[in-house]
C-alpha cells in the first residue's frame, strides 16, 4: 500500500500515466473529489467546504493507430483500469469529461477533428466494454490548443486523453 501511495504521489495531476503507472485504485484516488480545508487565521479552526480547488483529473497516454481514432491493444489495457475505476462505488455518482488532445503536427482543423474522434472512441469503449452510463461521460476534443508541454509542441507528451471529474450526477445532488 505504501508503494502505491508513493507512486501516486510521484504522478501529480496533469502528468501522463501509462497502464503500468496507475492501477484502478490509484485512478480512483486521483479522480475522487477531495474537500478543500481552509484555516481561519491563527485560531486553528479548519472548515471543510466540500469544494475542490480544481477538478480532479488524470492524463493518460492512450495509443491510437496512426491518424486514426482506432484504439490499440495497449490503449485497451490502459482503459481497463479506468473502466474498473469508473464502476467503483467511490466514483459511480460522478460525471466525467474525456478530453482528447493532440500534438502540434498538422492543421488546427485536422487536430481538432482527430482529438474529438479519439475522445469519442474512449467514451464509446468505456460505455460498451465496462457498462459506464453514457450520461456520465462527455467527450470533447481540444486538438493542439492545450498542449501539455508548449516548449515541445510536437512532443508525444501532448498526445493524451485527459479524464476530468466534473462533479456529481444531477440525480445525486
Amino acid at each position: 500500500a505504501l508503494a502505491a501511495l508513493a507512486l501516486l504521489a510521484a504522478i501529480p495531476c496533469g502528468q501522463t500515466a501509462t497502464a503500468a503507472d496507475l492501477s484502478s485504485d490509484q485512478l480512483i484516488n486521483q479522480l475522487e473529489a477531495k474537500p478543500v480545508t481552509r484555516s481561519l487565521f491563527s485560531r486553528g479552526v479548519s472548515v471543510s467546504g466540500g469544494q475542490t480547488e480544481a477538478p480532479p483529473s488524470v492524463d493518460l497516454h492512450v495509443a491510437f493507430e496512426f491518424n486514426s481514432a482506432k484504439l490499440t491493444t495497449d490503449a485497451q489495457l490502459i482503459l481497463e483500469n479506468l473502466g474498473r475505476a469508473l464502476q467503483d462505488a467511490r466514483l459511480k455518482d460522478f460525471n466525467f469529461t474525456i478530453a482528447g488532445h493532440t500534438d502540434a503536427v498538422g492543421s488546427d482543423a485536422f487536430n481538432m477533428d482527430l482529438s474529438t474522434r479519439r475522445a469519442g472512441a474512449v467514451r464509446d469503449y468505456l460505455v460498451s466494454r465496462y457498462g459506464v452510463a453514457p450520461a456520465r461521460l462527455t467527450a470533447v476534443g481540444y486538438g493542439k490548443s492545450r498542449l501539455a508541454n508548449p516548449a515541445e509542441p510536437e512532443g508525444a507528451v501532448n498526445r493524451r486523453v485527459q479524464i476530468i471529474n466534473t462533479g456529481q450526477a444531477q440525480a445525486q445532488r
Side-chain angles (χ1 to χ4, degrees):
L2 288 176
L5 287 175
L7 177 60
L8 185 60
I11 304 173
C13 278
Q15 294 296 317
T16 302
T18 64
D21 290 333
L22 297 178
S23 68
S24 296
D25 282 338
Q26 290 169 317
L27 282 167
I28 291 165
N29 288 334
Q30 192 83 1
L31 291 170
E32 273 186 299
K34 309 281 191 284
V36 173
T37 302
R38 298 183 306 267
S39 109
L40 297 174
F41 302 101
S42 61
R43 298 209 181 264
V45 178
S46 62
V47 178
S48 290
Q51 301 171 344
T52 58
E53 291 177 5
S57 69
V58 64
D59 285 354
L60 300 175
H61 176 71
V62 179
F64 296 90
E65 290 188 7
F66 183 70
N67 283 344
S68 166
K70 185 174 182 189
L71 296 166
T72 64
T73 303
D74 287 344
Q76 292 174 14
L77 292 173
I78 292 169
L79 295 178
E80 179 180 339
N81 287 339
L82 179 61
R84 281 190 266 151
L86 295 178
Q87 291 174 322
D88 189 274
R90 292 169 283 179
L91 296 181
K92 72 176 179 69
D93 293 334
F94 292 92
N95 293 326
F96 296 86
T97 294
I98 300 167
H101 301 273
T102 65
D103 60 24
V105 176
S107 71
D108 290 346
F110 176 82
N111 282 316
M112 185 62 74
D113 177 65
L114 183 61
S115 66
T116 300
R117 289 187 295 120
R118 287 180 171 179
V122 169
R123 180 187 181 276
D124 293 347
Y125 184 79
L126 293 170
V127 168
S128 66
R129 177 82 167 97
Y130 294 96
V132 179
R136 291 180 56 208
L137 303 174
T138 302
V140 62
Y142 290 105
K144 58 185 176 181
S145 67
R146 298 183 180 185
L147 297 174
N149 184 0
E152 283 187 55
E154 296 179 3
V157 69
N158 297 307
R159 297 186 298 267
R160 68 202 191 282
V161 175
Q162 184 180 25
I163 312 302
I164 306 161
N165 182 334
T166 55
Q168 287 190 301
Q170 197 65 18
Q172 300 298 320
R173 288 185 179 176

